[in-house]
Amino acid sequence: MNNILESPFVREMCHITANMYRMGFDERNGGNISWILEEEAVRQYLDPAEPLRTLPLSFDGSELAGRYLIVTGTGRYFRNVERDPQANLGILRISPDGASCQVLWGFSGGGRPTSELPTHLMNHIQRLRADPLHRVVMHCHPANTLAMTYVHQLDDRAFTKTLWQMCTECIVVFPEGVSVLPWMVCGTNEIGRATAEKIKETRAVIWAAHGIFAAGRDIDEAFGLIETVEKAAEIYIKIRNTPWMQTITDRQLADLCQTFGLTPREGYLEV
């Protein structure tokens, strides 16, 4: 059996969590990541017939039955993942009935998956329905995106339009826009269901006064989406109280989409 600490998925999780911590996106034990893995990849490093323990799920996860995921742990600091992956990460397999998950590796010392696991799983389900190639859900707390939720209308279209106008690449990276939720208690099935409803249409859902929840086909796509939203939010925060001499117009945004062969969210541009 190969050394799991040398596996591409453990190494990538170590790399991305360390990077997100350095960028200030995941202070203390804030933030979480889950990544659906292919069974063949997992079997190179683990024997799935020997689970360490079984944990109950608080909702019906049967659509993910048999799926394998690598997940960050609850109460764990992203800055420590690289130093001790086995304590701060875990690999799970969803049970055939979707009522529980088996820990196959990690969460040493009695650790558990992120408290946001139900939210992650609900949103994996929705994104897989929309895109069979979907694999990653990522949640973090970038400061400018949070700040923007205090001073901007919490409306999907309005929020999206402002982000699109801040930076040329925004409409290219997320032509479907972003979604926004008002403040809700985190770690609950309620916020999970509300996010899953929004994530049907957009890969990024912003939680007011909390952070951003993003999905992608791989780590790079999910993280790149977050980076782009945060850069746009930073520009907005810097200029919102100064007179604007110009902006990117709706016509220019439409021309940009046409050049790149993209379809912007219907009804968002006035052209």
Side-chain angles (χ1 to χ4, degrees):
M1 200 72 72
N2 296 321
N3 180 2
I4 194 168
L5 296 179
E6 297 300 319
S7 66
F9 42 87
V10 170
R11 290 168 64 92
E12 180 62 18
M13 287 287 277
C14 289
H15 173 73
I16 194 63
T17 50
N19 192 35
M20 292 172 76
Y21 181 80
R22 283 192 295 267
M23 294 181 73
F25 287 4
D26 296 273
E27 75 292 336
R28 201 173 179 269
N29 63 318
N32 28 77
I33 303 171
S34 61
W35 179 4
I36 297 173
L37 305 175
E38 304 306 317
E39 182 176 356
E40 314 85 78
V42 173
R43 284 185 176 274
Q44 295 179 45
Y45 302 94
L46 294 174
D47 182 358
E50 298 180 0
L52 303 177
R53 52 197 162 111
T54 299
L55 303 173
L57 295 177
S58 59
F59 80 107
D60 179 10
S62 56
E63 283 196 51
L64 296 173
R67 291 277 192 173
Y68 295 78
L69 301 97
I70 186 167
V71 183
T72 52
T74 187
R76 304 298 182 174
Y77 292 30
F78 271 24
R79 67 182 177 87
N80 293 330
V81 174
E82 199 168 39
R83 183 167 51 195
D84 189 357
Q86 191 160 351
N88 295 285
L89 301 173
I91 294 178
L92 310 174
R93 179 176 57 195
I94 307 301
S95 65
D97 62 2
S100 62
C101 62
Q102 295 175 321
V103 178
L104 303 178
W105 172 84
F107 301 135
S108 60
R112 298 174 66 88
T114 170
S115 61
E116 301 279 8
L117 181 62
T119 296
H120 279 248
L121 297 181
M122 290 176 193
N123 284 271
H124 279 302
I125 288 171
Q126 289 293 357
R127 286 310 305 166
L128 284 167
R129 289 175 182 172
D131 178 9
L133 298 180
H134 159 83
R135 291 296 180 270
V136 175
V137 164
M138 185 178 289
H139 168 57
C140 60
H141 308 153
N144 292 287
T145 304
L146 269 73
M148 189 170 167
T149 67
Y150 284 91
V151 297
H152 195 285
Q153 180 184 1
L154 297 181
D155 170 80
D156 294 350
R157 182 178 183 272
F159 212 96
T160 293
K161 286 287 295 293
T162 297
L163 293 175
W164 281 351
Q165 290 175 324
M166 293 301 102
C167 186
T168 299
E169 71 174 353
C170 285
I171 200 168
V172 177
V173 174
F174 49 95
E176 77 277 19
V178 300
S179 298
V180 189
L181 284 176
W183 187 89
M184 300 177 69
V185 176
C186 60
T188 65
N189 285 359
E190 287 71 26
I191 196 171
R193 285 190 287 267
T195 306
E197 187 63 30
K198 293 279 192 178
I199 216 164
K200 291 177 182 179
E201 304 294 338
T202 68
R203 290 166 297 137
V205 181
I206 294 166
W207 293 352
H210 185 159
I212 185 168
F213 205 83
R217 293 181 172 185
D218 53 32
I219 291 286
D220 281 346
E221 183 181 344
F223 184 60
L225 179 56
I226 290 170
E227 285 183 300
T228 309
V229 170
E230 172 64 2
K231 170 66 73 65
E234 180 182 4
I235 296 168
Y236 174 75
I237 292 298
K238 286 179 175 179
I239 69 171
R240 66 177 298 267
N241 290 322
T242 60
W244 294 14
M245 302 299 292
Q246 55 272 321
T247 186
I248 307 174
T249 67
D250 281 22
R251 179 69 267 168
Q252 290 168 332
L253 289 169
D255 290 345
L256 190 60
C257 287
Q258 184 175 17
T259 298
F260 283 87
L262 302 168
T263 303
R265 184 73 173 268
E266 184 176 356
Y268 275 29
L269 296 181
E270 296 179 7
V271 291

